Amino acid sequence: MCRNIRTLFNFEPPATEVEIRDAALQFVRKLSGFNVPSQANAAAFDHAVAAIADEARTLIASLVTTAEPKNREIEAEKARVRSQARFGGSGG
C-alpha cells in the first residue's frame, strides 16, 4: 500500500489537493489495516485522513529547498524505466 505514496514536495506543478488526500488515505489504510473501514470505524478513519492531509499540506508548505523543482513527467518516465528494468515488459 504505502509504496503508492509518492514524494509531493518540490514538484512543478505543485502537489494537488487530490494527491495530498490520496497520500493521507494510503497512510491511514496502512496504519489501520483497513482498505474500507466498517461503519463503526468510518468516522475515526475519515477524521484521520482529513487530519493527516492537513498536516501534510502544512509540512509541504513549510519545507524549503534550493534545488530546482522536479518535472512530474520526467520523474514519471524515470519511474517507468526503473519499473521496466525491475519487472520486465508486458510484451505488448
Side-chain angles (χ1 to χ4, degrees):
M1 267 186 230
C2 281
R3 280 180 249 156
N4 295 332
I5 297 175
R6 293 187 170 61
T7 301
L8 300 178
F9 174 63
N10 198 31
F11 275 93
E12 193 57 47
T16 65
E17 287 298 314
V18 171
E19 290 171 313
I20 292 170
R21 187 191 178 286
D22 287 350
L25 177 61
Q26 286 293 341
F27 184 71
V28 171
R29 283 177 173 169
K30 186 66 168 188
L31 288 179
S32 68
F34 302 139
N35 193 28
V36 178
S38 65
Q39 286 183 351
N41 292 316
F45 189 91
D46 293 342
H47 175 75
V49 171
I52 291 169
D54 287 344
E55 290 301 321
R57 217 175 287 107
T58 299
L59 173 64
I60 291 167
S62 65
L63 294 173
V64 296
T65 184
T66 57
E68 290 291 318
K70 298 175 205 163
N71 179 292
R72 287 178 182 278
E73 282 149 29
I74 291 171
E75 295 302 315
E77 181 58 31
K78 287 180 187 177
R80 279 189 287 278
V81 168
R82 284 191 306 269
S83 179
Q84 177 73 23
R86 183 174 180 192
F87 300 112
S90 61

